[in-house]
Amino acid sequence: VRRISALHSDDVIGVAVLEAELSDIPDAANGEYAAGGRDETLGDAVDRHIDTYFNAHGEDLPPAGLYERVLHEIERPLIARTLAATRGNQLKAAGLLGLNRNTLRKKIRELDIDVVRGGQ
């Protein structure tokens, strides 16, 4: 729901958009994506998702702000997963991401990411 609301700024999200989004949910039984395989690259997944997104709007163009919505969609899970991998160590996470520590802290606040120190 969060992803759909971030990518679709329309007041009403139609059935076609929901069906297109739900078709990309990972299949829990085999760990694969419904529309792609296990060996799918991030670029392939993004390409597929953006194609689906544009197709869901038919002849119309998506609402303005697509670039920021897509970046936000990728940035939050990337930072959250990196923090989890570094057990909340922001200095290590910043290094792994190639970000300045202060930039990472700013993004954590902006994206409202919970940081658990020493956890998994």
Side-chain angles (χ1 to χ4, degrees), residues 7 20 22 25 32 50 57 66 73 81-82 102 109 111:
L7 289 176
L22 291 174
I25 292 176
E32 295 181 359
I50 290 173
H57 286 86
L66 177 61
E73 184 69 22
R81 180 61 182 103
T82 303
N102 292 329
R109 281 190 307 274
L111 299 170

Side-chain angles (χ1 to χ4, degrees), residues 16-82:
V17 172
L18 291 174
E19 288 175 345
E21 292 291 336
L22 291 174
S23 71
D24 289 340
I25 292 176
D27 183 353
N30 62 16
E32 295 181 359
Y33 286 95
R38 192 172 278 182
D39 294 330
E40 180 178 49
T41 66
L42 177 60
D44 292 339
V46 170
D47 229 10
R48 183 174 39 78
H49 180 76
I50 290 173
D51 282 345
T52 302
Y53 180 72
F54 272 88
N55 290 337
H57 286 86
E59 296 295 318
D60 298 327
L61 291 174
L66 177 61
Y67 183 79
E68 285 298 320
R69 287 192 303 274
V70 170
L71 286 183
H72 181 332
E73 184 69 22
I74 293 171
E75 191 173 43
R76 189 174 200 290
L78 174 62
I79 292 172
R81 180 61 182 103
T82 303

Side-chain angles (χ1 to χ4, degrees), residues 92-112:
K92 281 185 180 179
L96 186 59
L97 291 166
L99 295 175
N100 178 286
R101 178 182 58 184
N102 292 329
T103 301
L104 177 61
R105 287 180 177 160
K106 179 182 173 191
K107 290 185 176 294
I108 290 168
R109 281 190 307 274
E110 287 174 355
L111 299 170
D112 193 29

